[in-house]
Amino acid sequence: MASPIGVRTSARHTLSVSPLSSVRSPQTSQLAMRTTNPLFPCTKLSQARAVVAAAMEVTKHPSSSCFANRQPSKEVLETWRSANAVCFDVDSTVCLDEGIDELADFCGAGQAVAEWTTKAMTGTVPFEEALAARISLIKPSLSQVQDCLEKRPPRISPGIADLIKTLLANNTEVFLVSGGFRQMIEPVAFELGIPTENIIANRLLFGTSGEYAGFDTTEPTSRSGGKAVAVQQIRQDRGYKTLVMIGDGATDLEARQPGGADLFICYAGVQMREAVAAKADWTVFEFQELISELPQFNTLQ
C-alpha cells in the first residue's frame, strides 16, 4: 500500500478549491462579502444551498441577556485591547458551518456525523473519540475533499474579515486553532490574510492514488485538551505576553489556563452553547462588539 501523504493547499499546489462565500443576515448590520480568490476557481453554490444561506439568521438565544458577561469588565477590556495574539476557532466561529459536517453531508454521512459533532462541542465525549468516529464514517478520498471545497465553499461569518483586519492593523498576530482539517481551513486563511504557518489543525492523510489513509494523530488538536496544548505552545514559541482565545465550544474554553489564553471570549453568533457562554470572560453575538473596543476601529469607517 502506498505511504500516506498529507495534502497542502498553497499557491504552488494543484488542489483546486473555490473562493469563500457568505450569508446575508437580516439581524445584523455586518454583512459578509463574497470574495474572489485568484488562486481558486469560482464555483457557485447550488440553488437549494443558496436558499438555505439566504434564510440563515444570527439569532440571540432567549436567555442570553441573563449572562453577566455580556458586558465586559474593565479588566477584560484591558486584556482584549493589549493582546499580542488572538487565536480563533474556525467552525461556527470564523466560518458559519462545521467543516467536518459539511464534508460528511457531501459524502452522504451527514446525520450520523453531526450527532458526534454535537457531542464533541458540548464536551460529553472525549474529542479524540468523536473525531475518530466521525472520520471513520466519512473516509473521504482526496477527490471528494476537492469536490466538496469546490461545490460547497466555506462561508465566512459576518464581520470576521473586518475584525481580523483591525487586529492586524494593531500588530496583533492572528492564529486559527481548529479540531477540523487543515485542507479545508487553508483556503479560509488565504482569504483572511492569515499565513498558513499560523494554522494549527488536524490533517487528513491520503495514499498516492488519493485514497483515504487516516489522519495525523500527532497533531495536538486531534485529542481532548489539544487546543489548550496548541495555544500554550504558540505562546511559548512566540513569547507573547497576552493571548486571547475566541470560539464557541468546550474545547475553546479549555484553552484559558495558565500558560495558555489569558482571556476566553465566547462567540455565540452561530451556535449558542450556554454551558460554554456562562463560563466565558465575555460573550458576544457579533464581531462588531469586539471591533468597537479596539484602537484601530476608526480605520474601518
Side-chain angles (χ1 to χ4, degrees):
M1 179 175 174
S3 59
I5 56 173
V7 177
R8 297 176 183 270
T9 305
S10 67
R12 297 179 181 178
H13 202 277
T14 58
L15 176 59
S16 174
V17 296
S18 298
L20 307 179
S21 61
S22 58
V23 301
R24 292 179 177 269
S25 170
Q27 297 290 330
T28 175
S29 61
Q30 291 295 313
L31 302 180
M33 300 177 64
R34 192 179 187 91
T35 57
T36 303
N37 182 339
L39 299 183
F40 308 119
C42 178
T43 302
K44 293 183 178 180
L45 294 172
S46 65
Q47 182 177 2
R49 184 170 173 77
V51 170
V52 172
M56 182 176 179
E57 297 181 359
V58 178
T59 59
K60 293 179 174 58
H61 193 278
S63 63
S64 65
S65 60
C66 297
F67 292 119
N69 59 14
R70 285 290 289 125
Q71 295 298 322
S73 67
K74 178 181 178 181
E75 292 74 21
V76 165
L77 287 177
E78 288 176 351
T79 301
W80 170 237
R81 292 166 180 163
S82 64
N84 305 118
V86 177
C87 296
F88 287 91
D89 171 45
V90 176
D91 298 333
S92 296
T93 300
V94 170
C95 294
L96 291 167
D97 306 299
E98 292 285 335
I100 194 169
D101 290 353
E102 287 294 297
L103 180 61
D105 186 60
F106 184 79
C107 296
Q111 183 174 351
V113 169
E115 292 173 357
W116 276 102
T117 296
T118 299
K119 293 177 183 178
M121 292 303 99
T122 56
T124 56
V125 299
F127 184 81
E128 60 267 31
E129 179 183 340
L131 179 62
R134 287 181 291 174
I135 201 63
S136 68
L137 289 168
I138 309 171
K139 293 182 178 178
S141 65
L142 174 58
S143 63
Q144 285 177 312
V145 173
Q146 292 173 329
D147 289 346
C148 181
L149 284 169
E150 181 177 336
K151 296 174 182 177
R152 299 190 181 188
R155 300 181 299 163
I156 294 180
S157 294
I160 189 63
D162 283 344
L163 174 56
I164 290 175
K165 177 181 177 181
T166 307
L167 289 168
L168 295 176
N170 278 289
N171 296 316
T172 302
E173 195 142 14
V174 174
F175 294 82
L176 300 180
V177 181
S178 175
F181 293 103
R182 176 177 287 270
Q183 288 92 336
M184 303 186 74
I185 294 171
E186 285 183 338
V188 176
F190 176 87
E191 291 293 346
L192 295 174
I194 300 170
T196 55
E197 59 265 28
N198 284 15
I199 301 172
I200 296 87
N202 296 311
R203 188 187 301 279
L204 288 167
L205 303 175
F206 302 100
T208 54
S209 297
E211 72 277 13
Y212 171 72
F215 62 94
D216 187 353
T217 58
T218 66
E219 293 287 353
T221 50
S222 68
R223 51 191 179 272
S224 293
K227 284 189 179 179
V229 172
V231 170
Q232 288 174 331
Q233 194 64 53
I234 290 170
R235 186 165 189 165
Q236 180 180 329
D237 291 347
R238 306 292 185 100
Y240 296 126
K241 182 179 179 181
T242 306
L243 188 149
V244 174
M245 179 76 201
I246 300 176
D248 70 296
T251 57
D252 306 310
L253 175 61
E254 290 175 346
R256 185 191 60 193
Q257 58 178 270
D262 300 287
L263 192 71
F264 170 63
I265 299 174
C266 176
Y267 174 66
V270 178
Q271 294 288 340
M272 176 57 174
R273 308 186 200 278
E274 289 197 28
V276 176
K279 296 178 181 178
D281 297 295
W282 186 6
T283 295
V284 301
F285 286 87
E286 297 181 10
F287 287 120
Q288 184 61 40
E289 296 177 59
L290 301 179
I291 295 172
S292 63
E293 297 295 344
L294 291 172
Q296 294 291 329
F297 173 61
N298 291 332
T299 65
L300 298 177
Q301 302 305 301

